[in-house]
Amino acid sequence: MSRYLLKRVLNMIPLLILATLLSFAIMQMAPGGPEKVLLAAEDATLDPTRIEELRERWGLNDPIPVQYVRWLGNVLRGDFGRSYFYRKPVVEVIGAALPATLKLQSVALFLTYAIAIPLGIISAVRQYSKLDYAVTGLAFAGQAAPSFWVAILLIWGVAMRSNGLIPTNGIATPGVNFETYGWLSVLADRAKYMILPVTVMVFGSLTGLTRYMRSAMLEVLKEDYIRTARAKGLSEKVVVYKHALRNALLPVISISGGLLSAMVGGSVITETIFSWPGIGRVGYDAVTQRDYNVSMAIMLMSGVLTLIGFLLVDIAYVWVDPRIKYD
C-alpha cells in the first residue's frame, strides 16, 4: 500500500504541472486585462499612458513564458501575488472567503449524504414501490432543474412570503454576535441565512447520489452471497445493512473524489445569487474583473484538491472493501 501511495504521489507531479499550465493559459486567453477593467471604473477615456504604466508595473508586458515561470516560482514559495481588484495579497483574499464557503459546503454535503444514502437504499430495497417511483421522480426533477432557477423559485415562493423570516442574501444579521446575544440566538441567526443556499445545493446534489446509491444497491442485492445470507435465515436488516451496504458504497465513494475540491472551491452560482461571501463568489468576481492572480490561484487550488480527493478515494476503497489490494 505504501509503495502504491508513493507511486500515486509521484504521478501527481506532472498532473500538478499541467494544472498550473492550464490555470495560467486560460487566464492569458481571456480578452482584455485587469488594467482596463480597473481604469474603466475610474476613467472612461482609458488613458493609454496609464494602461501602459500599469501593465509595465505588473509585468504584463513580459513574454508569456517569462510570466509563467515567474508566477510558478512565486507559487512554489507560497506567494500567489496580489489581487488587482481587491488590492491585497491573494492569500488574504482567499483566506477571508474560505471560512464562509467551508461552513456552507460542509452543511450541504452532510445533509446531501445523510439524505441520499438512506433514500437510495430504501428505493432499491422497495424497488417499483410508490416510494421508489417518488424518489426516482424527485431525482429526475432535481437533475433537470438548474440551480439558478431553483434559487430564484425559492426566493420568490419561500423567502418573499416569509415576512423577512428567511433572508435572501448575506451570511448574518449585523450586530448579532456572541458578546451581545447568547450562542443560541447567534446559531439561529446564522442558520436562517443558510436555509435557501443549502436547500439549492442539497437539491442539486441529492439526485445523482441517490441514483448511484440505488443502482449500486440493486446490483449488490442480486449477488450470490446475498442470496446465501438470506438462505441462512438472517434478517433483512442484517442482509441489507451489514452485507450489502458496504459493497454498494464503492460506486458512491468513486464519485466522491471531487468533494474536497467542491468543499473549498465553493459554488459560484449559489454564492453569487445569495450574496454569500465565499470562494465561489470571489472566483466569479475575479473572472469578471480579470483578476488574474486570484483566478489562477482558485483554479490551481481546485485542481490540487481534486487530485488529493481522488487519492483519498483510493485509500477509502481499501477500508470499505478489504479484498482490494494495491501491492
Side-chain angles (χ1 to χ4, degrees), residues 154-186:
L154 285 174
I155 291 173
W156 172 77
V158 179
M160 291 182 70
R161 295 163 195 264
S162 68
N163 296 321
L165 190 63
I166 300 176
T168 58
N169 59 74
I171 190 170
T173 304
V176 178
N177 51 51
F178 287 104
E179 288 77 22
T180 314
Y181 297 82
W183 63 271
L184 199 59
S185 300
V186 173

Side-chain angles (χ1 to χ4, degrees), residues 20-93:
T20 62
L21 270 171
L22 286 175
S23 304
F24 190 83
I26 287 172
M27 288 314 299
Q28 295 302 320
M29 286 189 290
E35 73 284 353
K36 291 181 182 175
V37 176
L38 290 179
L39 289 179
E42 301 170 6
D43 179 10
T45 59
L46 289 178
D47 182 2
T49 310
R50 291 195 64 193
I51 290 177
E52 197 59 29
E53 183 189 339
L54 279 180
R55 289 189 65 83
E56 196 63 35
R57 188 195 306 169
W58 292 337
L60 298 175
N61 284 335
D62 295 338
I64 299 295
V66 173
Q67 291 185 49
Y68 170 70
V69 171
R70 183 171 57 221
W71 173 73
L72 185 60
N74 291 334
V75 168
L76 291 175
R77 290 194 297 271
D79 179 10
F80 288 86
R82 287 183 68 82
S83 163
Y84 302 129
F85 180 62
Y86 294 99
R87 313 289 177 97
K88 291 193 291 189
V90 171
V91 174
E92 281 186 25
V93 174

Side-chain angles (χ1 to χ4, degrees), residues 24-303:
F24 190 83
I26 287 172
M27 288 314 299
Q28 295 302 320
M29 286 189 290
E35 73 284 353
K36 291 181 182 175
V37 176
L38 290 179
L39 289 179
E42 301 170 6
D43 179 10
T45 59
L46 289 178
D47 182 2
T49 310
R50 291 195 64 193
I51 290 177
E52 197 59 29
E53 183 189 339
L54 279 180
R55 289 189 65 83
E56 196 63 35
R57 188 195 306 169
W58 292 337
L60 298 175
N61 284 335
D62 295 338
I64 299 295
V66 173
Q67 291 185 49
Y68 170 70
V69 171
R70 183 171 57 221
W71 173 73
L72 185 60
N74 291 334
V75 168
L76 291 175
R77 290 194 297 271
D79 179 10
F80 288 86
R82 287 183 68 82
S83 163
Y84 302 129
F85 180 62
Y86 294 99
R87 313 289 177 97
K88 291 193 291 189
V90 171
V91 174
E92 281 186 25
V93 174
I94 293 178
L98 189 58
T101 289
L102 284 177
K103 193 190 306 179
L104 185 66
Q105 292 285 344
S106 56
V107 174
L109 285 174
F110 171 77
L111 289 175
T112 300
Y113 277 77
I115 296 171
I117 290 178
L119 272 182
I121 295 171
I122 295 169
S123 185
V125 171
R126 301 184 183 179
Q127 191 181 16
Y128 303 132
S129 66
K130 288 182 181 177
L131 181 65
D132 182 30
Y133 286 126
V135 171
T136 303
L138 184 69
F140 282 126
Q143 200 86 43
S147 57
F148 73 88
W149 182 79
V150 177
I152 293 170
L153 200 65
L154 285 174
I155 291 173
W156 172 77
V158 179
M160 291 182 70
R161 295 163 195 264
S162 68
N163 296 321
L165 190 63
I166 300 176
T168 58
N169 59 74
I171 190 170
T173 304
V176 178
N177 51 51
F178 287 104
E179 288 77 22
T180 314
Y181 297 82
W183 63 271
L184 199 59
S185 300
V186 173
L187 286 180
D189 179 71
R190 304 303 185 262
K192 71 180 182 181
Y193 280 89
M194 297 178 77
I195 291 174
L196 295 187
V198 165
T199 303
V200 172
M201 293 168 72
V202 170
F203 186 64
S205 309
L206 197 64
T207 56
L209 196 58
T210 305
R211 297 293 298 167
Y212 269 107
M213 191 67 220
R214 179 183 182 275
S215 302
M217 184 58 84
L218 282 174
E219 288 294 323
V220 172
L221 288 175
K222 295 174 185 171
E223 296 288 338
D224 290 340
Y225 67 90
I226 295 296
R227 277 196 291 271
T228 305
R230 282 174 174 153
K232 286 166 65 178
L234 297 178
S235 68
E236 189 64 17
K237 188 181 291 185
V238 173
V239 171
V240 171
Y241 291 102
K242 186 175 179 183
H243 294 276
L245 178 58
R246 201 162 178 173
N247 287 326
L249 283 176
L250 285 175
V252 176
I253 291 174
S254 300
I255 63 168
S256 302
L259 281 182
L260 198 58
S261 170
M263 276 196 71
V264 179
S267 171
V268 174
I269 294 175
T270 306
E271 289 184 7
T272 303
I273 289 177
F274 294 107
S275 301
W276 191 270
I279 297 289
R281 191 177 171 200
V282 167
Y284 174 78
D285 289 340
V287 171
T288 55
Q289 300 298 329
R290 308 293 191 275
D291 199 344
Y292 290 172
N293 289 335
V294 175
S295 299
M296 291 188 294
I298 291 176
M299 282 191 280
L300 181 59
M301 185 175 67
S302 299

